[in-house]
Amino acid sequence: MSVDLMGFLGVVLVAYVVPGPDFLVVFRSAIEHPAKGRAAGLGAQAGLCVHMLAAAVGLAVIAARSPAVYEAVKLLGAAYLVHLGIRAVLAARRSGRERRSGRERSAHPERSADRERPAAQEPSGDIKPAKGRAPTGAQWRSGFAQGFLTNVLNPKAALFFLSILPQFVDGAGSTTRQIFFLGILDVLIGIVYWFVVVAVAARLRTLLARPKVQHRWELTTGWLFIAIGVGVAAAA
């Protein structure tokens, strides 16, 4: 088996460096908790594995030649990105309301003391743990699912395995084996890349944990998701 390995590695590295929807999903998840970010990265690569398998068995050819199938996948992916964006914008609005109510309590401490006195008398066992200390199974599953759906519903990922990847395959060998080899290499490179992204995001958690910065971050990424989703849906 002989493939253009250096050329393929160059294309893959450029594809990962240019941020896309999967980057936003992984980075946002890592800000919430590094373990959730790693789960999102693994989910994103699992989504690529689906496209790799489809390309290897020829299913991607059918999807690419059927405008209806391609449009359906594209619209599903766009709708999911818009869904993530709306959730982020709503979260930003909630945090803004909480911050304003906190300022009101500070301005009228006697009122807030009256309201909070019954809660202070509740048993200590009902107090919720600090946010973000340890990932729950639900957080891990949520991160993995978001990463997976973002890439499995991305028709551009399917076209990468269908049109770009075969350019580095040697026609004299087994096409299926070479696609599997290059696809697995792509997935492994991506896992390393996402874990580096998560490590960088973990350094920024303290900064982004500040209420004002968090509010702006949620709004910015939310509207970016919506814009990308609308762009995907409107693309020819």
Side-chain angles (χ1 to χ4, degrees):
M1 180 174 65
S2 175
V3 296
D4 183 4
L5 193 57
M6 296 306 296
F8 175 74
L9 290 176
V11 170
V12 167
L13 290 175
V14 170
Y16 277 113
V17 169
V18 177
D22 48 1
F23 178 87
L24 279 178
V25 168
V26 174
F27 198 85
R28 277 176 49 84
S29 298
I31 292 300
E32 185 174 335
H33 197 287
K36 185 176 180 181
R38 289 189 288 271
L42 292 174
Q45 298 312 98
L48 291 184
C49 287
V50 173
H51 294 300
M52 176 183 66
L53 291 171
V57 300
L59 295 177
V61 177
I62 299 174
R65 292 181 179 178
S66 173
V69 173
Y70 180 85
E71 287 298 320
V73 173
K74 184 177 71 172
L75 291 175
L76 281 173
Y80 183 68
L81 292 174
V82 171
H83 166 72
L84 291 179
I86 292 174
R87 284 182 56 185
V89 171
L90 292 177
R93 290 183 176 178
R94 281 196 300 270
S95 65
R97 286 196 297 268
E98 291 173 359
R99 195 168 64 252
R100 286 193 296 271
S101 64
R103 286 199 298 265
E104 290 175 1
R105 286 195 296 268
S106 299
H108 304 284
E110 67 285 350
R111 296 180 185 175
S112 60
D114 291 338
R115 285 196 294 264
E116 292 174 2
R117 188 173 295 118
Q121 297 172 355
E122 292 179 357
S124 58
D126 294 335
I127 298 175
K128 295 181 180 180
K131 204 175 176 183
R133 281 189 180 176
T136 64
Q139 280 182 317
W140 199 95
R141 289 191 296 271
S142 173
F144 187 90
Q146 288 181 15
F148 178 79
L149 291 174
T150 297
N151 268 352
V152 82
L153 294 177
N154 183 1
K156 291 183 179 179
L159 291 178
F160 173 83
F161 283 97
L162 178 65
S163 59
I164 297 179
L165 188 147
Q167 296 181 26
F168 303 97
V169 170
D170 181 12
S174 169
T175 301
T176 301
R177 286 176 57 191
Q178 292 178 76
I179 288 178
F180 271 124
F181 171 74
L182 294 177
I184 291 172
L185 186 60
D186 180 2
V187 170
L188 293 176
I189 291 172
I191 291 175
V192 174
Y193 173 75
W194 292 132
F195 279 30
V196 171
V197 169
V198 170
V200 173
R203 297 293 185 95
L204 299 175
R205 288 185 75 199
T206 303
L207 172 64
L208 293 175
R210 298 174 183 173
K212 286 186 178 180
V213 177
Q214 184 180 15
H215 178 73
R216 291 170 182 168
W217 163 255
E218 291 285 352
L219 277 179
T220 301
T221 55
W223 286 113
L224 276 175
F225 271 126
I226 293 172
I228 293 174
V230 172
V232 169

